[in-house]
Amino acid sequence: MKKISLRNKILVALSAVGPGLFLIGYNIGTGSVTTMAKTGAEYGMSLFWALILSCFFTYILMVAYGKVTLVTGRTALYNIKSEIKGGWVLSLYIIFALIIGELLALMGVMGIVADLVQEGVRLAFEGYSMSRFWIILFFSIILYVLLWYGRYQMFEKVLTVLVILMGLSFVVVFFMVSPSVDALTEGIVPSIPDTPGALGLIAAITGTTCSAAVFIIRSTVVAEKGWGIRDLKTEKRDAAVSAAMMLFLSGVIMAVAAGTLHVSGLRLENTVEMIELFEPIGGEFAAFVLIIGITGAGLSTIFPIVLIAPWLIADYTGRPRNIHSKQSRWLIFLAMLFAFGTVFLDERPPALMVFSQAFQACILPAVAIPIFLLINRSRVMHEHKASKSLNIGIFAVILFALLTSWFALEEFL
């Protein structure tokens, strides 16, 4: 029998969890980094429970949405439109809400990436300042060319590289700053701090981790992978890997901030400030590693964001997903224009990210309730209806979604 090399084993393992890696790249972006770092800096690990719950509920809904797609052969919005009375209204609401939320996020993400590259150039070239416009234009052209010629399989590979780069960067910084065990465990007992902004951060943790867009896109990327009913076990394993990696990477970011900034009494208001605060703690090299990691996180988020409009429209209409069609290329081009938003707006990128994450938390009930109805409908699922444990899990997600939506409304309205 031919011996399989370690490299080939790794490639086979990565190919088996393609949709999961795609969603890690989508979910762990600059918004996640900012939210987790701000949470760790201000509250230590006391809100880690919210991250654990969000990742667990993310796993449940990814399994549910993936399973319905595998059984029906149809994507999420098409199922909602076709199988639920008045579902076309709900589907259109989800489309418009997700596109608005993602375009706001795109402005914030690209603005933060530009700020980070500016900071990296300043550190490398002794104070030299590069225009944010030219930085955004540079990345926009590269991304648009990749999207013009690329296919899903290529995006999966690019996102795999960015996810690995991002993960390694955060782990390296964690060991470089060496936060004490006491600092990490001191505040891990679940609690809700009675301070302004705490409810907003819980909603932001939910919005950036248990994101409504993730579950709609989950359905599409499972379909792109070509999986069928025989791949139910693979789909569950893929969802578990994705949720576990989200928990690990987000937890590392929170722990780094908790073990360094929190114990020093330092607060965090934006992502670039995070680099400036870490530089005296971990040194200039740690600052560069963080810049690389967070930039990788941001770029890995942009791919799915600019694809969301073409994919959602294809999902709703039941048409083939063709990102090289004239309509898709125009939609992607229009989305990329929003990347320049922070160049012309007074609002800072982190503020846009927080708002977009809270907005995502408010959409979560609209995607949690329909999947509960679909996965329990005999004519849709036949013998593959949800088990009792999965139903309990989805019902818990619905309650959690309603609670965090209230948190978001309470904090931001």
Side-chain angles (χ1 to χ4, degrees), residues 327-339:
Q327 180 193 60
S328 295
R329 283 175 167 167
W330 271 110
L331 288 171
I332 292 169
F333 176 76
L334 290 173
M336 291 305 302
L337 293 180
F338 278 82

Side-chain angles (χ1 to χ4, degrees), residues 47 77 106 188 217 220 233 261 264 272 376:
L47 294 181
L77 292 177
L106 177 60
I188 207 167
I217 295 298
T220 300
K233 288 185 178 179
L261 306 182
S264 302
V272 174
N376 286 290

